[in-house]
PDB file of all heavy atoms in Angstrom:
ATOM      1  N   LEU A 110       9.335  -4.751 -16.553  1.00 93.00           N
ATOM      2  CA  LEU A 110       8.656  -5.442 -15.436  1.00 93.00           C
ATOM      3  C   LEU A 110       7.757  -6.617 -15.997  1.00 93.00           C
ATOM      4  O   LEU A 110       7.645  -7.701 -15.322  1.00 93.00           O
ATOM      5  CB  LEU A 110       7.828  -4.543 -14.597  1.00 93.00           C
ATOM      6  CG  LEU A 110       7.462  -4.822 -13.269  1.00 93.00           C
ATOM      7  CD1 LEU A 110       8.776  -5.143 -12.445  1.00 93.00           C
ATOM      8  CD2 LEU A 110       6.582  -3.801 -12.589  1.00 93.00           C
ATOM      9  N   MET A 114       8.460  -9.979 -13.879  1.00 95.00           N
ATOM     10  CA  MET A 114       7.706 -10.333 -12.678  1.00 95.00           C
ATOM     11  C   MET A 114       7.270 -11.727 -12.630  1.00 95.00           C
ATOM     12  O   MET A 114       7.315 -12.397 -11.628  1.00 95.00           O
ATOM     13  CB  MET A 114       6.487  -9.357 -12.602  1.00 95.00           C
ATOM     14  CG  MET A 114       5.980  -9.129 -11.161  1.00 95.00           C
ATOM     15  SD  MET A 114       7.162  -8.319 -10.162  1.00 95.00           S
ATOM     16  CE  MET A 114       6.536  -8.861  -8.625  1.00 95.00           C
ATOM     17  N   LEU A 128       9.561  -2.339  -4.940  1.00 97.00           N
ATOM     18  CA  LEU A 128       9.937  -1.689  -6.175  1.00 97.00           C
ATOM     19  C   LEU A 128      10.689  -0.406  -5.773  1.00 97.00           C
ATOM     20  O   LEU A 128      10.248   0.406  -4.986  1.00 97.00           O
ATOM     21  CB  LEU A 128       8.761  -1.294  -6.999  1.00 97.00           C
ATOM     22  CG  LEU A 128       8.001  -2.362  -7.845  1.00 97.00           C
ATOM     23  CD1 LEU A 128       8.852  -2.906  -8.896  1.00 97.00           C
ATOM     24  CD2 LEU A 128       7.400  -3.454  -7.012  1.00 97.00           C
ATOM     25  N   LEU A 136       4.823   1.522 -11.262  1.00 96.00           N
ATOM     26  CA  LEU A 136       5.340   0.150 -11.376  1.00 96.00           C
ATOM     27  C   LEU A 136       4.830  -0.735 -10.328  1.00 96.00           C
ATOM     28  O   LEU A 136       4.724  -1.879 -10.453  1.00 96.00           O
ATOM     29  CB  LEU A 136       6.943   0.168 -11.343  1.00 96.00           C
ATOM     30  CG  LEU A 136       7.646   0.809 -12.509  1.00 96.00           C
ATOM     31  CD1 LEU A 136       9.120   0.714 -12.404  1.00 96.00           C
ATOM     32  CD2 LEU A 136       7.197   0.149 -13.833  1.00 96.00           C
ATOM     33  N   THR A 137       4.556  -0.149  -9.126  1.00 97.00           N
ATOM     34  CA  THR A 137       3.863  -0.868  -8.078  1.00 97.00           C
ATOM     35  C   THR A 137       2.549  -1.394  -8.572  1.00 97.00           C
ATOM     36  O   THR A 137       2.136  -2.558  -8.308  1.00 97.00           O
ATOM     37  CB  THR A 137       3.752  -0.043  -6.777  1.00 97.00           C
ATOM     38  OG1 THR A 137       5.006   0.388  -6.375  1.00 97.00           O
ATOM     39  CG2 THR A 137       2.992  -0.783  -5.750  1.00 97.00           C
ATOM     40  N   VAL A 138       1.743  -0.541  -9.097  1.00 97.00           N
ATOM     41  CA  VAL A 138       0.386  -1.044  -9.769  1.00 97.00           C
ATOM     42  C   VAL A 138       0.673  -2.087 -10.719  1.00 97.00           C
ATOM     43  O   VAL A 138      -0.068  -3.189 -10.675  1.00 97.00           O
ATOM     44  CB  VAL A 138      -0.301   0.176 -10.291  1.00 97.00           C
ATOM     45  CG1 VAL A 138      -1.712  -0.305 -11.010  1.00 97.00           C
ATOM     46  CG2 VAL A 138      -0.629   1.194  -9.280  1.00 97.00           C
ATOM     47  N   ALA A 139       1.582  -1.867 -11.611  1.00 95.00           N
ATOM     48  CA  ALA A 139       1.852  -2.923 -12.630  1.00 95.00           C
ATOM     49  C   ALA A 139       2.305  -4.274 -12.059  1.00 95.00           C
ATOM     50  O   ALA A 139       1.789  -5.326 -12.398  1.00 95.00           O
ATOM     51  CB  ALA A 139       2.859  -2.365 -13.613  1.00 95.00           C
ATOM     52  N   ALA A 140       3.232  -4.201 -11.095  1.00 96.00           N
ATOM     53  CA  ALA A 140       3.731  -5.428 -10.490  1.00 96.00           C
ATOM     54  C   ALA A 140       2.589  -6.041  -9.687  1.00 96.00           C
ATOM     55  O   ALA A 140       2.588  -7.387  -9.568  1.00 96.00           O
ATOM     56  CB  ALA A 140       4.920  -5.067  -9.486  1.00 96.00           C
ATOM     57  N   HIS A 141       1.714  -5.309  -8.974  1.00 96.00           N
ATOM     58  CA  HIS A 141       0.644  -5.928  -8.292  1.00 96.00           C
ATOM     59  C   HIS A 141      -0.288  -6.697  -9.117  1.00 96.00           C
ATOM     60  O   HIS A 141      -0.682  -7.814  -8.841  1.00 96.00           O
ATOM     61  CB  HIS A 141      -0.057  -4.851  -7.512  1.00 96.00           C
ATOM     62  CG  HIS A 141      -1.399  -5.172  -7.038  1.00 96.00           C
ATOM     63  ND1 HIS A 141      -1.635  -6.135  -6.058  1.00 96.00           N
ATOM     64  CD2 HIS A 141      -2.660  -4.713  -7.384  1.00 96.00           C
ATOM     65  CE1 HIS A 141      -2.886  -6.237  -5.812  1.00 96.00           C
ATOM     66  NE2 HIS A 141      -3.603  -5.329  -6.544  1.00 96.00           N
ATOM     67  N   ARG A 142      -0.541  -6.153 -10.359  1.00 95.00           N
ATOM     68  CA  ARG A 142      -1.427  -6.828 -11.359  1.00 95.00           C
ATOM     69  C   ARG A 142      -0.735  -7.920 -11.938  1.00 95.00           C
ATOM     70  O   ARG A 142      -1.399  -9.045 -12.129  1.00 95.00           O
ATOM     71  CB  ARG A 142      -1.929  -5.745 -12.360  1.00 95.00           C
ATOM     72  CG  ARG A 142      -2.805  -4.646 -11.720  1.00 95.00           C
ATOM     73  CD  ARG A 142      -3.325  -3.713 -12.833  1.00 95.00           C
ATOM     74  NE  ARG A 142      -3.970  -2.569 -12.232  1.00 95.00           N
ATOM     75  CZ  ARG A 142      -4.506  -1.505 -12.991  1.00 95.00           C
ATOM     76  NH1 ARG A 142      -4.266  -1.459 -14.375  1.00 95.00           N
ATOM     77  NH2 ARG A 142      -5.169  -0.600 -12.349  1.00 95.00           N
ATOM     78  N   MET A 143       0.466  -7.876 -12.347  1.00 94.00           N
ATOM     79  CA  MET A 143       1.249  -8.908 -12.978  1.00 94.00           C
ATOM     80  C   MET A 143       1.475 -10.173 -12.153  1.00 94.00           C
ATOM     81  O   MET A 143       1.331 -11.276 -12.513  1.00 94.00           O
ATOM     82  CB  MET A 143       2.476  -8.385 -13.515  1.00 94.00           C
ATOM     83  CG  MET A 143       2.437  -7.415 -14.597  1.00 94.00           C
ATOM     84  SD  MET A 143       4.083  -6.627 -14.890  1.00 94.00           S
ATOM     85  CE  MET A 143       3.665  -5.260 -15.970  1.00 94.00           C
ATOM     86  N   SER A 144       1.696  -9.864 -10.847  1.00 94.00           N
ATOM     87  CA  SER A 144       1.963 -10.952  -9.884  1.00 94.00           C
ATOM     88  C   SER A 144       0.653 -11.588  -9.303  1.00 94.00           C
ATOM     89  O   SER A 144       0.845 -12.730  -8.819  1.00 94.00           O
ATOM     90  CB  SER A 144       2.869 -10.402  -8.727  1.00 94.00           C
ATOM     91  OG  SER A 144       2.101  -9.486  -7.935  1.00 94.00           O
ATOM     92  N   GLU A 145      -0.407 -10.792  -9.285  1.00 93.00           N
ATOM     93  CA  GLU A 145      -1.612 -11.261  -8.646  1.00 93.00           C
ATOM     94  C   GLU A 145      -1.412 -11.515  -7.128  1.00 93.00           C
ATOM     95  O   GLU A 145      -2.083 -12.284  -6.475  1.00 93.00           O
ATOM     96  CB  GLU A 145      -2.142 -12.592  -9.247  1.00 93.00           C
ATOM     97  CG  GLU A 145      -2.502 -12.331 -10.770  1.00 93.00           C
ATOM     98  CD  GLU A 145      -3.239 -13.501 -11.373  1.00 93.00           C
ATOM     99  OE1 GLU A 145      -3.149 -14.548 -10.827  1.00 93.00           O
ATOM    100  OE2 GLU A 145      -3.655 -13.286 -12.521  1.00 93.00           O
ATOM    101  N   LEU A 146      -0.404 -10.882  -6.557  1.00 96.00           N
ATOM    102  CA  LEU A 146      -0.109 -10.958  -5.098  1.00 96.00           C
ATOM    103  C   LEU A 146      -0.840  -9.831  -4.410  1.00 96.00           C
ATOM    104  O   LEU A 146      -1.150  -8.832  -5.101  1.00 96.00           O
ATOM    105  CB  LEU A 146       1.396 -10.803  -4.774  1.00 96.00           C
ATOM    106  CG  LEU A 146       2.304 -11.905  -5.342  1.00 96.00           C
ATOM    107  CD1 LEU A 146       3.734 -11.537  -5.162  1.00 96.00           C
ATOM    108  CD2 LEU A 146       1.965 -13.226  -4.664  1.00 96.00           C
ATOM    109  N   PRO A 147      -1.186  -9.987  -3.110  1.00 96.00           N
ATOM    110  CA  PRO A 147      -1.974  -8.964  -2.426  1.00 96.00           C
ATOM    111  C   PRO A 147      -1.048  -7.707  -2.296  1.00 96.00           C
ATOM    112  O   PRO A 147       0.152  -7.792  -2.205  1.00 96.00           O
ATOM    113  CB  PRO A 147      -2.198  -9.662  -1.080  1.00 96.00           C
ATOM    114  CG  PRO A 147      -1.245 -10.720  -0.945  1.00 96.00           C
ATOM    115  CD  PRO A 147      -0.877 -11.179  -2.322  1.00 96.00           C
ATOM    116  N   PRO A 148      -1.673  -6.582  -2.111  1.00 96.00           N
ATOM    117  CA  PRO A 148      -1.063  -5.265  -2.029  1.00 96.00           C
ATOM    118  C   PRO A 148       0.056  -5.214  -0.884  1.00 96.00           C
ATOM    119  O   PRO A 148       1.031  -4.504  -1.013  1.00 96.00           O
ATOM    120  CB  PRO A 148      -2.117  -4.264  -1.735  1.00 96.00           C
ATOM    121  CG  PRO A 148      -3.392  -4.795  -2.277  1.00 96.00           C
ATOM    122  CD  PRO A 148      -3.223  -6.324  -2.016  1.00 96.00           C
ATOM    123  N   HIS A 149      -0.175  -5.965   0.152  1.00 97.00           N
ATOM    124  CA  HIS A 149       0.738  -5.785   1.330  1.00 97.00           C
ATOM    125  C   HIS A 149       2.056  -6.510   0.980  1.00 97.00           C
ATOM    126  O   HIS A 149       3.028  -6.292   1.709  1.00 97.00           O
ATOM    127  CB  HIS A 149       0.167  -6.344   2.589  1.00 97.00           C
ATOM    128  CG  HIS A 149      -0.122  -7.848   2.666  1.00 97.00           C
ATOM    129  ND1 HIS A 149      -1.269  -8.385   2.194  1.00 97.00           N
ATOM    130  CD2 HIS A 149       0.699  -8.885   2.961  1.00 97.00           C
ATOM    131  CE1 HIS A 149      -1.207  -9.660   2.311  1.00 97.00           C
ATOM    132  NE2 HIS A 149      -0.012 -10.002   2.805  1.00 97.00           N
ATOM    133  N   VAL A 151       3.411  -6.412  -2.361  1.00 98.00           N
ATOM    134  CA  VAL A 151       4.046  -5.752  -3.508  1.00 98.00           C
ATOM    135  C   VAL A 151       3.884  -4.260  -3.332  1.00 98.00           C
ATOM    136  O   VAL A 151       2.768  -3.729  -3.453  1.00 98.00           O
ATOM    137  CB  VAL A 151       3.381  -6.226  -4.828  1.00 98.00           C
ATOM    138  CG1 VAL A 151       4.055  -5.607  -6.045  1.00 98.00           C
ATOM    139  CG2 VAL A 151       3.335  -7.762  -4.929  1.00 98.00           C
ATOM    140  N   VAL A 270      -0.745  -0.089  -3.234  1.00 98.00           N
ATOM    141  CA  VAL A 270      -1.997  -0.006  -3.984  1.00 98.00           C
ATOM    142  C   VAL A 270      -3.223   0.222  -2.937  1.00 98.00           C
ATOM    143  O   VAL A 270      -3.544  -0.721  -2.312  1.00 98.00           O
ATOM    144  CB  VAL A 270      -2.226  -1.127  -4.951  1.00 98.00           C
ATOM    145  CG1 VAL A 270      -3.572  -0.938  -5.668  1.00 98.00           C
ATOM    146  CG2 VAL A 270      -1.089  -1.295  -5.900  1.00 98.00           C
TER     147      VAL A 270
END
Side-chain angles (χ1 to χ4, degrees):
L110 201 59
M114 206 66 204
L128 282 297
L136 294 182
T137 297
V138 175
H141 166 61
R142 295 181 184 178
M143 294 170 190
S144 67
E145 299 184 346
L146 294 173
H149 67 272
V151 184
V270 178

